[in-house]
Coordinates of all heavy atoms in Angstrom, one line a residue:
M210 N 0.7 -1.2 0.1 CA -0.1 0.1 0.0 C 0.8 1.2 0.0 O 0.5 2.2 -0.7 CB -0.9 0.0 1.2 CG -2.0 -1.1 1.2 SD -3.0 -1.1 2.7 CE -4.0 0.4 2.5
R211 N 1.9 1.2 0.8 CA 2.8 2.4 0.9 C 3.5 2.7 -0.5 O 3.6 3.8 -0.9 CB 3.7 2.3 2.0 CG 3.3 2.3 3.4 CD 4.3 2.0 4.3 NE 3.9 2.2 5.8 CZ 4.6 2.1 6.9 NH1 5.8 1.5 6.6 NH2 4.1 2.1 8.1
R212 N 3.9 1.6 -1.2 CA 4.6 1.8 -2.3 C 3.6 2.3 -3.4 O 4.0 3.0 -4.4 CB 5.1 0.4 -2.9 CG 6.3 -0.1 -2.0 CD 6.8 -1.4 -2.4 NE 7.2 -1.5 -3.9 CZ 6.5 -2.2 -4.7 NH1 5.5 -2.9 -4.4 NH2 7.0 -2.1 -6.0
A213 N 2.3 1.9 -3.3 CA 1.4 2.4 -4.3 C 0.9 3.8 -4.0 O 0.0 4.3 -4.8 CB 0.3 1.4 -4.4
A214 N 1.3 4.4 -3.0 CA 0.6 5.6 -2.7 C 1.1 6.9 -3.5 O 0.6 7.9 -3.1 CB 1.0 6.0 -1.1
M215 N 2.1 6.7 -4.3 CA 2.5 7.8 -5.2 C 1.2 8.3 -5.9 O 0.5 7.7 -6.6 CB 3.6 7.4 -6.2 CG 3.9 8.3 -7.2 SD 4.7 9.9 -6.6 CE 6.3 9.2 -6.1
P216 N 1.0 9.7 -5.9 CA -0.1 10.2 -6.6 C 0.0 10.0 -8.1 O 1.1 10.2 -8.7 CB -0.1 11.8 -6.3 CG 0.6 11.8 -5.0 CD 1.7 10.7 -5.1
A217 N -1.1 9.7 -8.7 CA -1.2 9.4 -10.1 C -1.5 10.8 -10.8 O -1.1 11.0 -11.9 CB -2.4 8.6 -10.5
S218 N -2.1 11.7 -10.1 CA -2.6 12.9 -10.8 C -1.4 14.0 -11.1 O -1.7 15.0 -11.8 CB -3.6 13.6 -9.9 OG -3.1 13.9 -8.6
V219 N -0.2 13.7 -10.6 CA 0.9 14.6 -10.9 C 1.8 13.9 -12.0 O 2.9 14.5 -12.3 CB 1.8 14.8 -9.7 CG1 1.0 15.5 -8.6 CG2 2.3 13.5 -9.0
Q220 N 1.4 12.9 -12.7 CA 2.2 12.1 -13.6 C 1.9 12.6 -15.1 O 2.1 11.8 -16.1 CB 2.0 10.6 -13.5 CG 2.2 10.1 -12.1 CD 3.5 10.2 -11.6 OE1 4.5 10.3 -12.3 NE2 3.7 10.4 -10.3
S221 N 1.4 13.7 -15.3 CA 1.0 14.2 -16.6 C 2.1 13.9 -17.8 O 3.2 14.3 -17.5 CB 0.5 15.6 -16.6 OG 0.2 16.1 -17.9
L222 N 1.7 13.4 -18.9 CA 2.5 13.1 -20.0 C 1.9 13.6 -21.2 O 0.6 13.2 -21.5 CB 2.9 11.6 -20.1 CG 3.8 11.0 -19.1 CD1 3.8 9.5 -19.2 CD2 5.1 11.6 -19.2
P223 N 2.5 14.4 -22.1 CA 1.8 14.8 -23.3 C 1.8 13.6 -24.3 O 2.6 12.7 -24.3 CB 2.7 15.9 -23.9 CG 4.1 15.6 -23.3 CD 3.8 14.9 -21.9
T224 N 0.6 13.6 -25.0 CA 0.3 12.4 -25.9 C -0.6 12.8 -27.0 O -1.0 14.0 -27.0 CB -0.2 11.2 -25.1 OG1 -0.2 10.1 -26.1 CG2 -1.6 11.5 -24.6
N225 N -1.1 12.0 -27.9 CA -2.0 12.2 -28.8 C -1.7 13.4 -29.9 O -2.4 14.3 -30.0 CB -3.4 12.5 -28.2 CG -4.6 12.4 -29.1 OD1 -5.5 13.3 -29.1 ND2 -4.6 11.4 -29.9
G226 N -0.4 13.4 -30.2 CA 0.1 14.4 -31.1 C 0.1 15.8 -30.4 O -0.1 16.9 -31.0
H227 N 0.2 15.7 -29.1 CA 0.2 17.0 -28.3 C -1.1 17.7 -28.3 O -1.3 18.8 -27.8 CB 1.3 18.1 -28.7 CG 2.6 17.7 -28.2 ND1 3.2 18.1 -27.0 CD2 3.6 16.8 -28.6 CE1 4.3 17.5 -26.8 NE2 4.6 16.8 -27.8
N228 N -2.3 17.0 -28.8 CA -3.6 17.5 -28.6 C -4.0 17.2 -27.1 O -4.3 18.2 -26.5 CB -4.5 16.6 -29.4 CG -6.1 16.8 -29.0 OD1 -6.4 18.0 -29.1 ND2 -6.7 15.8 -28.8
Q229 N -3.6 16.1 -26.5 CA -3.7 15.9 -25.1 C -2.4 16.3 -24.6 O -1.6 15.3 -24.2 CB -4.3 14.6 -24.8 CG -5.5 14.2 -25.4 CD -6.0 12.8 -25.0 OE1 -5.8 12.3 -23.9 NE2 -6.8 12.2 -25.9
D230 N -2.1 17.5 -24.4 CA -0.7 17.8 -23.9 C -0.6 17.9 -22.3 O 0.5 18.1 -21.9 CB -0.2 19.2 -24.5 CG -1.2 20.3 -24.3 OD1 -2.3 20.1 -23.8 OD2 -0.8 21.5 -24.6
V231 N -1.7 17.8 -21.6 CA -1.7 17.7 -20.2 C -2.8 16.8 -19.8 O -4.0 16.9 -20.4 CB -1.8 19.1 -19.5 CG1 -3.1 19.8 -19.9 CG2 -1.8 19.0 -18.0
V232 N -2.6 15.8 -19.0 CA -3.6 14.9 -18.7 C -3.6 14.5 -17.2 O -2.6 14.7 -16.5 CB -3.4 13.5 -19.5 CG1 -3.6 13.7 -21.0 CG2 -2.1 12.9 -19.1
P233 N -4.8 14.2 -16.6 CA -5.0 14.1 -15.2 C -4.6 12.6 -14.7 O -4.4 12.5 -13.5 CB -6.4 14.4 -15.0 CG -7.1 14.0 -16.2 CD -6.2 14.3 -17.3
F234 N -4.6 11.6 -15.6 CA -4.6 10.2 -15.1 C -5.6 9.9 -13.9 O -5.2 9.1 -13.0 CB -3.1 9.9 -14.6 CG -2.2 9.8 -15.8 CD1 -1.1 10.6 -15.9 CD2 -2.3 8.7 -16.7 CE1 -0.3 10.4 -17.1 CE2 -1.5 8.5 -17.7 CZ -0.5 9.4 -17.9
G235 N -6.8 10.4 -14.0 CA -7.8 10.1 -13.1 C -8.1 8.6 -13.0 O -8.4 8.2 -11.8
T236 N -8.2 8.0 -14.1 CA -8.5 6.6 -14.1 C -7.6 5.8 -13.3 O -7.9 4.9 -12.4 CB -8.6 5.9 -15.5 OG1 -9.1 7.0 -16.4 CG2 -9.5 4.8 -15.4
Q237 N -6.3 6.1 -13.4 CA -5.2 5.3 -12.7 C -5.3 5.7 -11.2 O -5.2 4.8 -10.3 CB -3.8 5.7 -13.2 CG -3.7 5.1 -14.6 CD -2.2 5.1 -15.0 OE1 -1.2 5.3 -14.2 NE2 -1.9 5.0 -16.3
A238 N -5.6 6.9 -10.9 CA -5.8 7.3 -9.4 C -6.9 6.6 -8.9 O -6.9 6.2 -7.7 CB -6.0 8.8 -9.4
A239 N -8.0 6.4 -9.6 CA -9.2 5.9 -9.0 C -9.0 4.3 -8.9 O -9.4 3.8 -7.8 CB -10.5 6.0 -10.0
L240 N -8.4 3.7 -9.9 CA -8.2 2.3 -9.7 C -7.2 2.0 -8.7 O -7.4 0.9 -7.8 CB -7.6 1.7 -11.1 CG -8.6 1.5 -12.2 CD1 -7.7 1.3 -13.5 CD2 -9.5 0.4 -12.0
N241 N -6.2 2.8 -8.3 CA -5.3 2.8 -7.3 C -6.1 2.8 -6.0 O -5.9 2.0 -5.0 CB -4.2 3.8 -7.4 CG -3.0 3.4 -6.4 OD1 -2.7 2.3 -6.2 ND2 -2.4 4.4 -5.9
A242 N -7.0 3.7 -5.8 CA -7.8 3.9 -4.6 C -8.6 2.7 -4.4 O -8.7 2.2 -3.3 CB -8.6 5.2 -4.7
L243 N -9.3 2.1 -5.4 CA -10.0 0.9 -5.2 C -9.2 -0.2 -4.8 O -9.6 -1.0 -3.9 CB -10.8 0.6 -6.5 CG -11.8 -0.6 -6.4 CD1 -12.7 -0.3 -5.4 CD2 -12.4 -0.8 -7.9
D244 N -8.1 -0.4 -5.4 CA -7.1 -1.5 -5.0 C -6.8 -1.4 -3.6 O -6.8 -2.4 -2.8 CB -5.9 -1.4 -5.9 CG -6.0 -1.9 -7.3 OD1 -7.1 -2.5 -7.6 OD2 -5.2 -1.5 -8.1
L245 N -6.4 -0.2 -3.1 CA -6.0 0.0 -1.8 C -7.1 -0.1 -0.7 O -6.8 -0.5 0.4 CB -5.1 1.3 -1.6 CG -3.9 1.3 -2.3 CD1 -3.2 2.6 -2.1 CD2 -3.0 0.3 -2.3
A246 N -8.3 0.2 -1.2 CA -9.5 0.1 -0.4 C -9.7 -1.3 -0.1 O -10.1 -1.8 1.1 CB -10.7 0.7 -1.0
K247 N -9.3 -2.2 -1.0 CA -9.5 -3.7 -0.9 C -8.4 -4.1 0.2 O -8.7 -5.0 1.1 CB -9.3 -4.4 -2.2 CG -10.5 -4.2 -3.0 CD -10.2 -4.9 -4.4 CE -11.4 -4.8 -5.4 NZ -11.2 -5.3 -6.7
S248 N -7.3 -3.6 0.0 CA -6.1 -4.0 0.9 C -6.4 -3.7 2.3 O -6.2 -4.4 3.2 CB -4.8 -3.3 0.5 OG -4.4 -3.8 -0.8
V249 N -6.9 -2.4 2.5 CA -7.3 -2.1 4.0 C -8.3 -3.0 4.6 O -8.3 -3.2 5.8 CB -7.5 -0.5 4.1 CG1 -9.0 -0.3 3.9 CG2 -7.2 -0.1 5.5
R250 N -9.2 -3.5 3.8 CA -10.1 -4.5 4.3 C -9.5 -5.8 4.9 O -9.8 -6.3 5.8 CB -11.2 -5.0 3.2 CG -12.2 -4.0 2.8 CD -13.2 -4.6 1.8 NE -14.1 -5.8 2.4 CZ -13.9 -7.0 2.4 NH1 -12.9 -7.5 1.6 NH2 -14.7 -7.8 3.0
W251 N -8.4 -6.1 4.1 CA -7.7 -7.4 4.6 C -6.9 -7.0 5.9 O -6.9 -7.8 6.8 CB -6.6 -7.8 3.5 CG -7.1 -8.1 2.2 CD1 -8.4 -8.7 2.0 CD2 -6.5 -8.2 0.9 NE1 -8.5 -8.9 0.6 CE2 -7.3 -8.6 0.0 CE3 -5.1 -7.7 0.6 CZ2 -6.9 -8.7 -1.4 CZ3 -4.7 -7.8 -0.8 CH2 -5.6 -8.2 -1.7
L252 N -6.4 -5.9 6.0 CA -5.8 -5.5 7.3 C -6.8 -5.3 8.3 O -6.4 -5.8 9.5 CB -5.1 -4.1 7.1 CG -3.8 -4.2 6.2 CD1 -3.4 -2.6 5.9 CD2 -2.7 -4.9 7.0
H253 N -7.9 -5.0 8.2 CA -8.9 -4.9 9.2 C -9.4 -6.3 9.6 O -9.7 -6.7 10.6 CB -10.1 -4.1 8.9 CG -9.8 -2.6 8.9 ND1 -10.4 -1.7 8.0 CD2 -9.1 -1.8 9.8 CE1 -9.9 -0.5 8.4 NE2 -9.1 -0.5 9.5
G254 N -9.4 -7.2 8.5 CA -9.8 -8.6 8.7 C -8.8 -9.2 9.6 O -9.0 -10.1 10.5
S255 N -7.5 -8.9 9.3 CA -6.3 -9.6 10.0 C -6.4 -9.0 11.5 O -6.3 -9.8 12.5 CB -5.0 -9.1 9.4 OG -4.9 -9.4 8.1
L256 N -6.7 -7.7 11.7 CA -6.9 -7.2 13.1 C -8.0 -7.8 13.7 O -7.9 -8.2 15.0 CB -7.0 -5.7 13.0 CG -7.2 -5.0 14.4 CD1 -6.1 -5.3 15.3 CD2 -7.4 -3.5 14.1
A257 N -9.1 -8.1 13.1 CA -10.2 -8.7 13.7 C -9.9 -10.1 14.1 O -10.4 -10.6 15.2 CB -11.5 -8.6 12.8

């Protein structure tokens, strides 16, 4: 979880012939959040 905590939203890369010259990577941020939400469930299950 700690290794995956690097923000995705600051990783902007230009692409698409510089039509998309700044991008938010929101999908990667959201998928990361969902993955880590599953991990914290395991941690709470372990604690329980």
Side-chain angles (χ1 to χ4, degrees):
M210 292 176 72
R211 289 177 175 176
R212 289 178 57 247
M215 171 66 74
S218 57
V219 298
Q220 307 296 329
S221 180
L222 292 169
T224 187
N225 196 226
H227 285 264
N228 172 54
Q229 299 182 34
D230 55 351
V231 58
V232 298
F234 284 116
T236 324
Q237 293 191 16
L240 286 168
N241 195 33
L243 184 58
D244 288 345
L245 298 189
K247 293 177 181 178
S248 293
V249 84
R250 285 189 71 255
W251 300 335
L252 286 170
H253 285 143
S255 301
L256 177 58

